[in-house]
Amino acid sequence: MTFRTKAPLLAVSALVSAFGFASTAYADAFYLEAQSARGAGRAFSGEGADTGPSSLWWNPAAIAGIRDGSAAISATAILPKGDVIDNGTVIRRPGQAFAPVGGNGTSRDPINNGVVPSGAVAYPLTDRIAIGVSVTSPFSFTTNYEKNSWARYSADKTRLRTIDIQPSIGVAVTDWLRVGGALNVEYTDATLNNALPNVSAALPDGFQQLKGDGWDFGWTAGVQLHNDFATVGISYKSSIRHNLKGSLDISGLVGPLAGSNVSLDGAKASFNTPGQVIVAGRVRATNALTLNAQVVAYNWSKFDTIDLGAPLNTAIPENYRDSWSLAGGFDYDVTPKATIRAGVQRTKTPTQNGLRDARVPDADRWTYAAGGSYQLTSHIALDAAASYVDFSDTTIDRVTAAYAGTAAQTPIITNGFLQNAHAVVLSLGGRVTF
């Protein structure tokens, strides 16, 4: 296989690998948990068992049996910090010995600040049946490394935006059982830039940009069992098979690599995001205090390969492992109009040591959250929350190669780490009944 044929394969693999960088911004690998300001205040510890449109994303049974039309909107500001540091990364150009990759050895705060909006609305058709729709952005981020960063061959600037539209129906089957189902319609748009090494370190780097987008579908189903004091919610969000189509541009390669400069339309990649099993509970301990818990199991092992279409017809291994999150929290009604809440969440990363690169420097984390609500009128309530996310230091250690399988193959042995990573997350929202 010539390098000219191989180059699109490498670029498409880099595009999809870039998606994982959302993890360090806030949540678990690809998944950005920012669908409710109310939920954020208790570290998303009881969403699958709560009621109303604020919980629609987690469990469509949440709207079953509602008495009035209702809507919820929120906006979440994510303010991440962290250092991506070189610890001796080396590169071997054709015919040469391994040498330091060079460039700026410390990339500070490569993840840009961002604001994630979300909203949902629900309306009762009868006293037992309701319909609703949520609009969220589960995967959205922008990363921006310096042009001379040590990580430039795997990450420069990456931008990802998604919109998930979830039409739902909920039915109160009995006085103690609610069920629901939903369709997830998801649009993904991504742009990836990164540098390419020329055969000599004395030459400036080449450059590649890959853009792609696509519409894809999944589903959600759930149940809630409840009595006067407790509610248990169980739901499943399906894995979604994403199919992106876009364009590839490679430029700035010189000498023996000059023939690999290309402008190509129709580049394709397919991959699976994980399904989620969500089990949540809410218990009214007193008239004022409600205790919450939620565990989410992610089958990230579905993201095992990135499948590339014709003319490449190959698969790139990713080797993610299944992971989970566990959260606990409370709501406390200080007055009939004012509620305070808090929670803690522990999340395990699906990335593995030895397979983690600068595009996906994900790590285990703790999230500490607090918030509150205030009922302005009988129809309008405000929600606010603040969270602090503390990431473990971790390695960045995935071995890669530019122009793999060609005479110009250029191995890059990555040796770096993520350090001092944390995020402040601020959420503000409102709920209205009509």
Side-chain angles (χ1 to χ4, degrees):
M1 180 180 289
T2 66
F3 169 63
R4 187 175 184 86
T5 303
K6 195 74 172 181
L9 183 154
L10 299 174
V12 174
S13 70
L15 170 68
V16 185
S17 296
F19 292 172
F21 215 124
S23 60
T24 307
Y26 186 29
D28 179 39
F30 289 23
Y31 179 47
L32 181 63
E33 197 168 34
Q35 289 85 11
S36 165
R38 184 176 67 179
R42 56 191 178 217
F44 302 103
S45 58
E47 310 323 298
D50 207 349
T51 57
S54 293
S55 296
L56 189 56
W57 163 263
W58 289 272
N59 192 339
I63 61 172
I66 60 173
R67 302 303 183 190
D68 301 298
S70 54
I73 59 171
S74 65
T76 299
I78 303 173
L79 312 173
K81 304 285 285 186
D83 300 327
V84 178
I85 300 172
D86 184 23
N87 192 37
T89 299
V90 293
I91 184 173
R92 187 177 67 193
R93 290 178 166 86
Q96 304 177 35
F98 277 105
V101 72
N104 185 353
T106 300
S107 295
R108 300 190 184 279
D109 306 332
I111 308 168
N112 289 7
N113 298 339
V115 177
V116 181
S118 63
V121 61
Y123 191 80
L125 299 181
T126 71
D127 60 350
R128 290 188 176 271
I129 302 173
I131 57 173
V133 62
S134 66
V135 180
T136 61
S137 184
F139 314 120
S140 293
F141 69 102
T142 301
T143 61
N144 196 359
Y145 283 86
E146 305 91 338
K147 293 295 183 183
N148 68 337
S149 168
W150 71 276
R152 64 192 179 277
Y153 296 131
S154 59
D156 178 21
K157 184 174 182 180
T158 306
R159 182 181 183 274
L160 173 68
R161 295 291 182 268
T162 61
I163 300 173
D164 185 282
I165 304 168
Q166 180 181 297
S168 308
I169 185 169
V171 180
V173 179
T174 70
D175 292 340
W176 56 270
L177 175 63
R178 298 186 285 255
V179 301
L183 176 69
N184 291 94
V185 183
E186 197 161 290
Y187 173 73
T188 303
D189 178 82
T191 300
L192 165 70
N193 301 335
N194 63 274
L196 292 171
N198 270 301
V199 294
S200 170
L203 296 171
D205 290 328
F207 179 79
Q208 72 175 2
Q209 177 173 272
L210 192 58
K211 296 182 177 181
D213 65 353
W215 285 92
D216 302 286
F217 302 90
W219 55 273
T220 303
V223 299
Q224 290 184 341
L225 300 89
H226 64 98
N227 58 27
D228 292 338
F229 301 99
T231 301
V232 174
I234 303 171
S235 61
Y236 178 73
K237 299 188 76 69
S238 76
S239 171
I240 295 180
R241 180 72 170 175
H242 292 270
N243 299 284
L244 302 186
K245 183 177 180 180
S247 62
L248 166 69
D249 292 290
I250 296 176
S251 61
L253 297 178
V254 298
L257 298 177
S260 298
N261 294 315
V262 66
S263 182
L264 175 69
D265 290 324
K268 296 179 180 180
S270 299
F271 63 98
N272 295 315
T273 50
Q276 302 176 39
V277 177
I278 303 167
V279 180
R282 285 169 52 83
V283 176
R284 185 159 59 87
T286 71
N287 288 335
L289 176 65
T290 300
L291 303 178
N292 308 286
Q294 181 160 293
V295 60
V296 183
Y298 304 89
N299 65 332
W300 273 109
S301 56
K302 294 284 288 186
F303 185 60
D304 55 347
T305 62
I306 301 165
D307 300 314
L308 305 173
L312 304 174
N313 296 317
T314 190
I316 300 170
E318 288 296 333
N319 300 314
Y320 273 38
R321 61 186 176 185
D322 293 341
S323 67
W324 53 265
S325 67
L326 177 64
F330 70 87
D331 298 89
Y332 185 79
D333 296 330
V334 180
T335 72
K337 290 187 175 183
T339 300
I340 60 173
R341 56 181 59 93
V344 178
Q345 184 183 99
R346 175 62 169 167
T347 306
K348 298 291 288 185
T349 176
T351 62
Q352 302 189 62
N353 293 341
L355 299 171
R356 189 177 298 111
D357 65 18
R359 289 203 183 277
V360 195
D362 194 30
D364 297 342
R365 78 221 58 175
W366 287 94
T367 300
Y368 308 95
S373 299
Y374 188 78
Q375 194 75 36
L376 287 177
T377 71
S378 60
H379 296 285
I380 301 174
L382 297 180
D383 303 309
S387 304
Y388 180 82
V389 188
D390 184 25
F391 296 90
S392 300
D393 292 349
T394 196
T395 57
I396 299 172
D397 49 13
R398 185 172 184 172
V399 176
T400 60
Y403 324 128
T406 73
Q409 181 168 305
T410 305
I412 302 169
I413 300 179
T414 303
N415 182 4
F417 53 91
L418 174 71
Q419 181 176 289
N420 302 323
H422 61 273
V424 174
V425 183
L426 305 174
S427 301
L428 183 65
R431 289 171 284 129
V432 59
T433 59
F434 51 89

mmCIF file of all heavy atoms in Angstrom, residues 26 36-44 74-77 339 341-343 368-373 382-388 424-429:
data_model
loop_
_atom_site.group_PDB
_atom_site.id
_atom_site.type_symbol
_atom_site.label_atom_id
_atom_site.label_comp_id
_atom_site.label_asym_id
_atom_site.label_seq_id
_atom_site.Cartn_x
_atom_site.Cartn_y
_atom_site.Cartn_z
ATOM 1 N N TYR A 26 -15.190 17.277 31.376
ATOM 2 C CA TYR A 26 -16.184 17.133 32.444
ATOM 3 C C TYR A 26 -16.515 15.690 32.762
ATOM 4 O O TYR A 26 -16.434 15.274 33.894
ATOM 5 C CB TYR A 26 -17.451 17.904 32.054
ATOM 6 C CG TYR A 26 -18.514 17.966 33.121
ATOM 7 C CD1 TYR A 26 -18.199 17.922 34.473
ATOM 8 C CD2 TYR A 26 -19.846 18.083 32.760
ATOM 9 C CE1 TYR A 26 -19.181 18.003 35.440
ATOM 10 C CE2 TYR A 26 -20.835 18.168 33.717
ATOM 11 C CZ TYR A 26 -20.494 18.130 35.054
ATOM 12 O OH TYR A 26 -21.475 18.212 35.992
ATOM 13 N N SER A 36 -29.077 18.978 32.847
ATOM 14 C CA SER A 36 -30.044 19.527 33.795
ATOM 15 C C SER A 36 -29.323 20.308 34.879
ATOM 16 O O SER A 36 -28.413 19.779 35.532
ATOM 17 C CB SER A 36 -30.867 18.399 34.430
ATOM 18 O OG SER A 36 -31.553 18.840 35.576
ATOM 19 N N ALA A 37 -29.716 21.558 35.090
ATOM 20 C CA ALA A 37 -29.146 22.341 36.188
ATOM 21 C C ALA A 37 -29.583 21.791 37.534
ATOM 22 O O ALA A 37 -28.819 21.803 38.505
ATOM 23 C CB ALA A 37 -29.557 23.807 36.049
ATOM 24 N N ARG A 38 -30.804 21.282 37.617
ATOM 25 C CA ARG A 38 -31.268 20.689 38.864
ATOM 26 C C ARG A 38 -30.452 19.442 39.191
ATOM 27 O O ARG A 38 -29.980 19.258 40.324
ATOM 28 C CB ARG A 38 -32.757 20.341 38.777
ATOM 29 C CG ARG A 38 -33.336 19.798 40.084
ATOM 30 C CD ARG A 38 -34.827 19.554 39.972
ATOM 31 N NE ARG A 38 -35.157 18.477 39.044
ATOM 32 C CZ ARG A 38 -36.398 18.070 38.799
ATOM 33 N NH1 ARG A 38 -37.428 18.676 39.372
ATOM 34 N NH2 ARG A 38 -36.619 17.081 37.942
ATOM 35 N N GLY A 39 -30.257 18.573 38.200
ATOM 36 C CA GLY A 39 -29.478 17.371 38.416
ATOM 37 C C GLY A 39 -28.028 17.658 38.745
ATOM 38 O O GLY A 39 -27.407 16.933 39.536
ATOM 39 N N ALA A 40 -27.463 18.712 38.140
ATOM 40 C CA ALA A 40 -26.067 19.037 38.396
ATOM 41 C C ALA A 40 -25.815 19.349 39.865
ATOM 42 O O ALA A 40 -24.740 19.059 40.397
ATOM 43 C CB ALA A 40 -25.644 20.220 37.529
ATOM 44 N N GLY A 41 -26.805 19.930 40.555
ATOM 45 C CA GLY A 41 -26.627 20.308 41.951
ATOM 46 C C GLY A 41 -26.487 19.143 42.897
ATOM 47 O O GLY A 41 -25.967 19.308 44.015
ATOM 48 N N ARG A 42 -26.905 17.944 42.492
ATOM 49 C CA ARG A 42 -26.732 16.754 43.339
ATOM 50 C C ARG A 42 -25.832 15.727 42.652
ATOM 51 O O ARG A 42 -25.889 14.534 42.924
ATOM 52 C CB ARG A 42 -28.097 16.142 43.665
ATOM 53 C CG ARG A 42 -28.948 15.784 42.464
ATOM 54 C CD ARG A 42 -30.378 15.444 42.864
ATOM 55 N NE ARG A 42 -31.196 15.154 41.700
ATOM 56 C CZ ARG A 42 -32.486 15.500 41.589
ATOM 57 N NH1 ARG A 42 -33.095 16.135 42.571
ATOM 58 N NH2 ARG A 42 -33.173 15.185 40.517
ATOM 59 N N ALA A 43 -24.965 16.197 41.733
ATOM 60 C CA ALA A 43 -23.999 15.357 41.011
ATOM 61 C C ALA A 43 -24.704 14.257 40.220
ATOM 62 O O ALA A 43 -24.196 13.155 40.081
ATOM 63 C CB ALA A 43 -22.966 14.763 41.966
ATOM 64 N N PHE A 44 -25.900 14.563 39.702
ATOM 65 C CA PHE A 44 -26.674 13.632 38.877
ATOM 66 C C PHE A 44 -26.873 12.302 39.609
ATOM 67 O O PHE A 44 -26.646 11.231 39.052
ATOM 68 C CB PHE A 44 -26.000 13.430 37.524
ATOM 69 C CG PHE A 44 -25.807 14.711 36.758
ATOM 70 C CD1 PHE A 44 -24.567 15.315 36.693
ATOM 71 C CD2 PHE A 44 -26.875 15.336 36.145
ATOM 72 C CE1 PHE A 44 -24.388 16.513 36.015
ATOM 73 C CE2 PHE A 44 -26.715 16.536 35.455
ATOM 74 C CZ PHE A 44 -25.468 17.123 35.397
ATOM 75 N N SER A 74 -31.689 24.811 30.554
ATOM 76 C CA SER A 74 -30.501 25.065 31.362
ATOM 77 C C SER A 74 -29.323 25.362 30.460
ATOM 78 O O SER A 74 -29.320 25.023 29.268
ATOM 79 C CB SER A 74 -30.184 23.879 32.274
ATOM 80 O OG SER A 74 -29.831 22.745 31.517
ATOM 81 N N ALA A 75 -28.316 25.991 31.042
ATOM 82 C CA ALA A 75 -27.046 26.242 30.366
ATOM 83 C C ALA A 75 -25.937 25.932 31.360
ATOM 84 O O ALA A 75 -26.003 26.322 32.527
ATOM 85 C CB ALA A 75 -26.941 27.689 29.887
ATOM 86 N N THR A 76 -24.925 25.214 30.887
ATOM 87 C CA THR A 76 -23.825 24.791 31.739
ATOM 88 C C THR A 76 -22.521 25.343 31.193
ATOM 89 O O THR A 76 -22.168 25.084 30.036
ATOM 90 C CB THR A 76 -23.750 23.256 31.806
ATOM 91 O OG1 THR A 76 -24.960 22.750 32.361
ATOM 92 C CG2 THR A 76 -22.572 22.804 32.658
ATOM 93 N N ALA A 77 -21.814 26.129 32.008
ATOM 94 C CA ALA A 77 -20.499 26.653 31.650
ATOM 95 C C ALA A 77 -19.432 25.715 32.212
ATOM 96 O O ALA A 77 -19.417 25.432 33.415
ATOM 97 C CB ALA A 77 -20.308 28.061 32.206
ATOM 98 N N THR A 339 -35.141 25.054 47.981
ATOM 99 C CA THR A 339 -34.541 23.734 48.147
ATOM 100 C C THR A 339 -33.039 23.851 47.941
ATOM 101 O O THR A 339 -32.584 24.513 46.995
ATOM 102 C CB THR A 339 -35.118 22.733 47.135
ATOM 103 O OG1 THR A 339 -36.526 22.619 47.322
ATOM 104 C CG2 THR A 339 -34.477 21.364 47.284
ATOM 105 N N ARG A 341 -29.393 21.383 47.648
ATOM 106 C CA ARG A 341 -29.011 20.005 47.307
ATOM 107 C C ARG A 341 -27.496 19.921 47.180
ATOM 108 O O ARG A 341 -26.805 20.919 46.984
ATOM 109 C CB ARG A 341 -29.692 19.550 46.030
ATOM 110 C CG ARG A 341 -29.452 20.448 44.821
ATOM 111 C CD ARG A 341 -30.198 19.933 43.588
ATOM 112 N NE ARG A 341 -31.626 19.865 43.805
ATOM 113 C CZ ARG A 341 -32.474 20.848 43.493
ATOM 114 N NH1 ARG A 341 -32.020 21.979 42.961
ATOM 115 N NH2 ARG A 341 -33.760 20.722 43.714
ATOM 116 N N ALA A 342 -26.983 18.710 47.270
ATOM 117 C CA ALA A 342 -25.553 18.465 47.088
ATOM 118 C C ALA A 342 -25.359 17.007 46.727
ATOM 119 O O ALA A 342 -26.247 16.167 46.922
ATOM 120 C CB ALA A 342 -24.760 18.823 48.339
ATOM 121 N N GLY A 343 -24.176 16.684 46.184
ATOM 122 C CA GLY A 343 -23.900 15.306 45.811
ATOM 123 C C GLY A 343 -22.448 15.086 45.464
ATOM 124 O O GLY A 343 -21.671 16.038 45.276
ATOM 125 N N TYR A 368 -17.727 16.933 42.907
ATOM 126 C CA TYR A 368 -18.365 17.432 44.123
ATOM 127 C C TYR A 368 -19.299 18.577 43.716
ATOM 128 O O TYR A 368 -18.866 19.531 43.066
ATOM 129 C CB TYR A 368 -17.321 17.938 45.115
ATOM 130 C CG TYR A 368 -16.240 16.925 45.398
ATOM 131 C CD1 TYR A 368 -15.028 16.953 44.691
ATOM 132 C CD2 TYR A 368 -16.419 15.933 46.350
ATOM 133 C CE1 TYR A 368 -14.035 16.024 44.941
ATOM 134 C CE2 TYR A 368 -15.415 14.999 46.610
ATOM 135 C CZ TYR A 368 -14.233 15.050 45.903
ATOM 136 O OH TYR A 368 -13.253 14.126 46.152
ATOM 137 N N ALA A 369 -20.570 18.472 44.085
ATOM 138 C CA ALA A 369 -21.560 19.412 43.567
ATOM 139 C C ALA A 369 -22.452 19.954 44.671
ATOM 140 O O ALA A 369 -22.694 19.292 45.687
ATOM 141 C CB ALA A 369 -22.428 18.721 42.505
ATOM 142 N N ALA A 370 -22.953 21.164 44.449
ATOM 143 C CA ALA A 370 -23.942 21.772 45.335
ATOM 144 C C ALA A 370 -24.818 22.694 44.507
ATOM 145 O O ALA A 370 -24.396 23.207 43.461
ATOM 146 C CB ALA A 370 -23.278 22.555 46.464
ATOM 147 N N GLY A 371 -26.055 22.890 44.956
ATOM 148 C CA GLY A 371 -26.962 23.761 44.206
ATOM 149 C C GLY A 371 -28.240 24.011 44.965
ATOM 150 O O GLY A 371 -28.371 23.668 46.146
ATOM 151 N N GLY A 372 -29.184 24.612 44.263
ATOM 152 C CA GLY A 372 -30.454 24.913 44.889
ATOM 153 C C GLY A 372 -31.500 25.329 43.880
ATOM 154 O O GLY A 372 -31.203 25.567 42.702
ATOM 155 N N SER A 373 -32.752 25.378 44.348
ATOM 156 C CA SER A 373 -33.879 25.813 43.529
ATOM 157 C C SER A 373 -34.717 26.797 44.326
ATOM 158 O O SER A 373 -34.769 26.723 45.563
ATOM 159 C CB SER A 373 -34.764 24.622 43.118
ATOM 160 O OG SER A 373 -34.055 23.691 42.353
ATOM 161 N N LEU A 382 -36.468 28.476 39.531
ATOM 162 C CA LEU A 382 -35.097 28.643 39.065
ATOM 163 C C LEU A 382 -34.197 27.601 39.718
ATOM 164 O O LEU A 382 -34.367 27.262 40.893
ATOM 165 C CB LEU A 382 -34.572 30.044 39.395
ATOM 166 C CG LEU A 382 -35.284 31.221 38.739
ATOM 167 C CD1 LEU A 382 -34.633 32.531 39.180
ATOM 168 C CD2 LEU A 382 -35.245 31.110 37.211
ATOM 169 N N ASP A 383 -33.215 27.090 38.951
ATOM 170 C CA ASP A 383 -32.242 26.124 39.447
ATOM 171 C C ASP A 383 -30.838 26.662 39.202
ATOM 172 O O ASP A 383 -30.565 27.276 38.157
ATOM 173 C CB ASP A 383 -32.374 24.778 38.717
ATOM 174 C CG ASP A 383 -33.766 24.190 38.827
ATOM 175 O OD1 ASP A 383 -34.268 24.101 39.961
ATOM 176 O OD2 ASP A 383 -34.337 23.809 37.780
ATOM 177 N N ALA A 384 -29.927 26.409 40.143
ATOM 178 C CA ALA A 384 -28.529 26.793 39.980
ATOM 179 C C ALA A 384 -27.657 25.732 40.636
ATOM 180 O O ALA A 384 -28.064 25.083 41.607
ATOM 181 C CB ALA A 384 -28.252 28.163 40.592
ATOM 182 N N ALA A 385 -26.449 25.551 40.103
ATOM 183 C CA ALA A 385 -25.550 24.540 40.651
ATOM 184 C C ALA A 385 -24.110 24.910 40.332
ATOM 185 O O ALA A 385 -23.819 25.611 39.354
ATOM 186 C CB ALA A 385 -25.867 23.155 40.078
ATOM 187 N N ALA A 386 -23.209 24.415 41.162
ATOM 188 C CA ALA A 386 -21.768 24.550 40.939
ATOM 189 C C ALA A 386 -21.113 23.212 41.278
ATOM 190 O O ALA A 386 -21.469 22.568 42.268
ATOM 191 C CB ALA A 386 -21.178 25.659 41.793
ATOM 192 N N SER A 387 -20.157 22.811 40.444
ATOM 193 C CA SER A 387 -19.460 21.545 40.649
ATOM 194 C C SER A 387 -17.962 21.761 40.510
ATOM 195 O O SER A 387 -17.499 22.624 39.747
ATOM 196 C CB SER A 387 -19.907 20.494 39.629
ATOM 197 O OG SER A 387 -21.298 20.292 39.646
ATOM 198 N N TYR A 388 -17.223 20.931 41.227
ATOM 199 C CA TYR A 388 -15.769 20.878 41.075
ATOM 200 C C TYR A 388 -15.403 19.446 40.710
ATOM 201 O O TYR A 388 -15.767 18.502 41.422
ATOM 202 C CB TYR A 388 -15.064 21.290 42.361
ATOM 203 C CG TYR A 388 -13.556 21.247 42.257
ATOM 204 C CD1 TYR A 388 -12.861 22.304 41.692
ATOM 205 C CD2 TYR A 388 -12.835 20.149 42.706
ATOM 206 C CE1 TYR A 388 -11.481 22.273 41.576
ATOM 207 C CE2 TYR A 388 -11.460 20.101 42.592
ATOM 208 C CZ TYR A 388 -10.781 21.170 42.030
ATOM 209 O OH TYR A 388 -9.416 21.131 41.916
ATOM 210 N N VAL A 424 -14.175 23.544 36.857
ATOM 211 C CA VAL A 424 -15.285 24.181 37.560
ATOM 212 C C VAL A 424 -16.459 24.229 36.592
ATOM 213 O O VAL A 424 -16.307 24.660 35.438
ATOM 214 C CB VAL A 424 -14.914 25.591 38.037
ATOM 215 C CG1 VAL A 424 -16.121 26.300 38.623
ATOM 216 C CG2 VAL A 424 -13.778 25.533 39.057
ATOM 217 N N VAL A 425 -17.611 23.758 37.043
ATOM 218 C CA VAL A 425 -18.790 23.663 36.185
ATOM 219 C C VAL A 425 -19.937 24.423 36.844
ATOM 220 O O VAL A 425 -20.290 24.149 37.993
ATOM 221 C CB VAL A 425 -19.196 22.194 35.957
ATOM 222 C CG1 VAL A 425 -20.377 22.105 35.004
ATOM 223 C CG2 VAL A 425 -18.018 21.387 35.423
ATOM 224 N N LEU A 426 -20.491 25.400 36.136
ATOM 225 C CA LEU A 426 -21.562 26.247 36.657
ATOM 226 C C LEU A 426 -22.807 26.066 35.804
ATOM 227 O O LEU A 426 -22.742 26.164 34.566
ATOM 228 C CB LEU A 426 -21.131 27.721 36.642
ATOM 229 C CG LEU A 426 -19.818 28.045 37.370
ATOM 230 C CD1 LEU A 426 -19.441 29.499 37.158
ATOM 231 C CD2 LEU A 426 -19.922 27.726 38.856
ATOM 232 N N SER A 427 -23.927 25.801 36.445
ATOM 233 C CA SER A 427 -25.177 25.547 35.721
ATOM 234 C C SER A 427 -26.280 26.462 36.216
ATOM 235 O O SER A 427 -26.395 26.718 37.420
ATOM 236 C CB SER A 427 -25.616 24.086 35.916
ATOM 237 O OG SER A 427 -24.639 23.186 35.455
ATOM 238 N N LEU A 428 -27.092 26.937 35.283
ATOM 239 C CA LEU A 428 -28.234 27.790 35.603
ATOM 240 C C LEU A 428 -29.400 27.366 34.728
ATOM 241 O O LEU A 428 -29.239 27.139 33.527
ATOM 242 C CB LEU A 428 -27.896 29.263 35.358
ATOM 243 C CG LEU A 428 -28.993 30.287 35.713
ATOM 244 C CD1 LEU A 428 -29.265 30.281 37.199
ATOM 245 C CD2 LEU A 428 -28.571 31.673 35.237
ATOM 246 N N GLY A 429 -30.568 27.236 35.342
ATOM 247 C CA GLY A 429 -31.725 26.808 34.560
ATOM 248 C C GLY A 429 -33.022 27.275 35.148
ATOM 249 O O GLY A 429 -33.073 27.905 36.217
#
